[in-house]
Structure formats: structure tokens, C-alpha cells
Amino acid sequence: MHAPAPFPRRLPQRVVVAGAPGEQLTAFLRRLAALLDVPLAPLADLSGPTEVARLAAFDGWVTTGEEEWARPVLLERAEVLVRVELEAPTLAGRVRRTLRRIRSDVREPDLDWVDDVAVQRPGLEVVRLPDPHSADSWLRSFDEEFL
């Protein structure tokens, strides 16, 4: 059993999310951005370092952290880093994950970099959401605490 995910103390404005790409992550990102009332700007939608630097300079945003080259700029301004596992640990989920790993054109994201962030940015809040239930509870906490 996993320890409960920490609930936010205040409404963050700049959030980097690390997770496996797909519909579930997209839905999580949209919901988080809507709850925080900030723009959603997935890293894949940005054209390069100049746009990443412009995004980081804004006061509020939700983005992803899949590109190593962009992380230092984003994490320097981020208030929260969220590592989220949105695929339920079921047999079907394991089969899908295995098939993604087998396909040569689909790269399974390496999220181990999240664990190293504490050394790079000791003051950055890191939230680990190990399953869909934890992710949903964490998002609901914004409704309960701030609305």
C-alpha cells in the first residue's frame, strides 16, 4: 500500500508533470490546468528553447517534462513537480505497457530523473502519485481546499 499523496497547501501556479504520454496524461494535464486556472502548454507543443524560456517566464502554467534539455529552465521556475502513474496496475495495463516497450517506434518514458530533482532543486515540492486513485484524490483536493 502506498502512503497517501500530499495535498497542496496553496494553489501552485507553475507545475511540471512527468508521466507516460497518452490520453490519460492529457486528461490529467487538462484537468489540472483548469483547476489551477492557468494555461496548459505541453512541451511537445513548443518549438524549441526560445519558446520554453518564454513559457518559464510566465506567472502561471502547466507543462510536461519529457525533454531533458528543457527541464533546467522549467524546473528553475516551477513550484511543483508531479510524477504521475495513470495506468492502473492491472493485467491489461501491464500488457499495454509491455506492448509499448516491444514496439520500436514507441519509447517508454524514463521518469527516474524525477528522483534526482531533490538534489538539483532542494526547495521544489515533488508530488508522487503512484496510481490513478492517488492522482484523482490529489486533483480533488484542489476543489475541496480552494473552491
Side-chain angles (χ1 to χ4, degrees):
M1 192 78 198
H2 296 285
F7 293 109
R9 291 176 303 285
R10 67 174 197 77
L11 201 58
Q13 294 297 291
R14 294 178 302 278
V15 181
V16 175
V17 178
E23 292 176 19
Q24 293 171 315
L25 181 62
T26 301
F28 178 86
L29 291 166
R30 286 181 180 147
R31 188 172 166 201
L32 177 59
L35 287 167
L36 300 178
D37 195 25
V38 297
L40 170 59
L43 196 52
D45 292 352
L46 304 178
S47 66
T50 302
E51 283 195 11
V52 170
R54 260 190 237 142
L55 173 67
F58 287 152
D59 287 334
W61 39 263
V62 170
T63 192
T64 53
E66 69 269 17
E67 296 294 340
E68 186 175 353
W69 61 265
R71 289 181 205 141
V73 173
L74 295 171
L75 293 174
E76 181 63 33
R77 293 266 302 143
E79 295 175 317
V80 177
L81 170 61
V82 178
R83 179 179 175 163
V84 62
E85 301 287 336
L86 294 169
E87 203 162 274
T90 63
L91 178 58
R94 289 188 187 115
V95 169
R96 279 192 300 277
R97 188 170 125 211
T98 301
L99 290 174
R100 278 197 312 264
R101 287 179 175 172
I102 291 171
R103 290 183 55 191
S104 62
D105 61 330
V106 177
R107 187 178 56 151
E108 188 73 20
D110 177 13
L111 301 179
D112 292 339
W113 64 268
V114 174
D115 299 328
D116 298 331
V117 169
V119 174
Q120 299 163 359
R121 274 260 351 259
L124 180 64
E125 181 180 356
V126 179
V127 176
R128 289 173 179 80
L129 304 172
D131 54 56
H133 176 72
S134 298
D136 188 55
S137 295
W138 188 72
L139 290 172
R140 276 197 327 267
S141 73
F142 288 109
D143 280 334
E144 294 165 1
E145 192 168 337
F146 297 107
L147 298 179

